Amino acid sequence: MKLTHLASALGLALTLAPSAFANDAHTLKLEDVFNLEYANQIDISDDGETVYFVRNRMDIKTDRKFSNIWQVDSGSKQLQPVTSGVHQDFAPVLSPSGDRLAFISTRDGSPQLYVKWLSTGALSKISNLTQSPSQPTWTPDGKSLVFSMFVPATAKNPVNLPGKPEGAKWADPAVFIDDVYYRADGAGYSKAGYNHLFSIPADGGNASQLSSGDFDHGGALSFSEDGNTLYFSANRHHEHDLKPINTEIYSLDLKSKEINAITDRNGPDRSPSVSPSGRYLAYVGYDDKGTNYENAQLYIRDLSNADTQSLTADLDRSVEQIQWADNGRGLYFSYDDQGQTTLAYQPLRGKRKVITEQIGSVSFGRPYSGGDFDVSASGDVAFTLADTQRPADVAVNKRGNTRRLTHLNEDALGAKTLGKVEELWVKSKHDGLGIQGWVVYPPEFDAEKRYPLILEIHGGPVANYGPHFSAEAQLFAAKGNVVLYMNPRGSDSYGKQFAQTIHHNYPSNDFDDLMTGVDALIDKGFIDTDKLFVTGGSGGGVLTAWTVGHTDRFAAAVVAKPVINWFSFVLTADFYPFFTDYWFPGKPWDHMQHYMERSPISYVGKVKTPTMLLTGEADYRTPISETEQFYQALKLQGVDTAMVRIPDASHGITARPSNLMAKVAYILWWFEKHGEKDAE
């Protein structure tokens, strides 16, 4: 059956399988996606009384996410809008004196810098930029903002065709490409140029370029105590294109514009942050050993003598965000631990203390970990709050006590019966390694009944799921399915050794880990073994395709945005120098057997499971050519297969709400169609 248009295909699915989408009013429905909201980008006032955050919502008319900045009182919990409108306001950052809030907004049609005076409510657009700004940061005196912005360069065009008459309409000229990185997922084909640092007066004016050179500059920015030196992270090495993660911390003298490297090692260094006294520079990084994973550590460097030490060498977890305590005696930092994002305080001398293990994911489609936090001068911590039943809210931790400040989704979900989420631990049948997972039960679950099981596999592969809200998992459960998601070996948040088990060995025994989880649920007695289904995206798509090539126990599979052939993948993906260096022992033509042994395409002759493929047509991370290879191979094998192409979608298929709906709808339809293993 040929499906040529997404809308007509979805209409056909609705026609063929109405029961798959007929929901009780008290369970989650596809269209409820447009009612969901979530908080992120937290900024707390110095006195800890007010939390500013970005409130994200979905607009059903434009099928886009819009965001405005709100504030909530940490005592009364009173909510107030700081900005409003059908556009995107984001990246809020308080001025050093706390009287103004700078942010980026698209309200005038393109992203520009704005400042709001909090005492009067006055609002001013302070920039008129030709490119999108990012990472706005106040100077210590509050007089200026520094930000990163793309600076176009002249496109290379070595050939100009002669003889074109005036007024003639010829074909568009050929496009000449000789850059290592010529396209990027989510951005399309690259334009010539680099990201540079700029300064602009906080009262408005012209932006001045601070950095120079044919390198990208950006990320977190930090100033010296006197405001004369700016610290940033960049890869300014000669081979920066072919060694993409070898970043250093640099200093930029704002008067002379001189740039000097502060760090010097093979490995990524990022997130510079100067201590309140100006004595220390904190940053995050690790020594590059060519592996698929290393723990990022928290370092401090004495700027007076260059003495450097790691404060987390004993922590077998990877440091993410960092922030100095106002007294300069230590730092707050976040890290993922067993699928949950944790916030800790690390003194310069002394024992580490966990502040909260409840930082919540801001990815509400699937249950990935992560989240935001900020710390006031008095040590009050504002953060996004984790909850399996709700997308991210705002919470505050004061003197060890956590209070939820917002309930952004009570109107959307308060009357809904969602699936209960329960933790599961198993010992892998491969070697007894402990594997963590979570089970989402259908609403009104009855252990005496039998339910279909959907195994949903995360991407990465070095990433992690956790006890977080997942619209996709809840929609699956609302249709009467038990949903299992796990962190097989290779996931992060379990230590370096656990993540490195798949180094040059992916896929492999992660498949055994997943099957152990499936068997554990079957042993509980409430799974219909004729209705086992499997799906996953990106790295999860790889493992789904691997699964159907190694077992026929599943009634159907949906492989989303997969890699099917590692050889072709590293020669078409956007970040190919990284993949060849860190995921494989070398280039594919030098290690052809290694590449092909781990490619799902090598096992397509064993596939019997009805398998649908689903990928965005603008995906440059796992290009749709990977999907097409598997689709055509399955057709040649006579396997029941279909291909769903999401127009204009990149690797993040669900960036638009209707695409999330379409993804879930197609998966449910395919699984219902193949509800029995021998159905046809």
Side-chain angles (χ1 to χ4, degrees), residues 391-457:
D393 269 305
V394 178
V396 66
N397 183 287
K398 294 193 174 190
R399 294 176 291 278
N401 298 314
T402 294
R403 298 174 64 232
R404 184 191 294 264
L405 301 182
T406 65
H407 298 270
L408 300 180
N409 289 280
E410 286 311 298
D411 55 342
L413 299 175
K416 300 289 184 181
T417 303
L418 298 179
K420 176 185 174 183
V421 180
E422 182 176 274
E423 185 182 40
L424 173 74
W425 279 92
V426 298
K427 291 186 177 180
S428 175
K429 63 182 180 180
H430 171 65
D431 56 5
L433 185 64
I435 304 295
Q436 187 181 26
W438 289 266
V439 183
V440 186
Y441 294 96
E444 312 299 336
F445 173 77
D446 183 350
E448 299 302 316
K449 296 182 179 179
R450 300 292 182 270
Y451 295 88
L453 172 64
I454 296 178
L455 171 64
E456 207 283 333
I457 310 172

Side-chain angles (χ1 to χ4, degrees), residues 291-294 490 495-505:
T291 62
N292 71 312
Y293 174 87
E294 292 290 337
K496 183 167 72 172
Q497 183 176 355
F498 189 94
Q500 288 184 353
T501 54
I502 63 167
H503 178 61
H504 296 174
N505 189 36

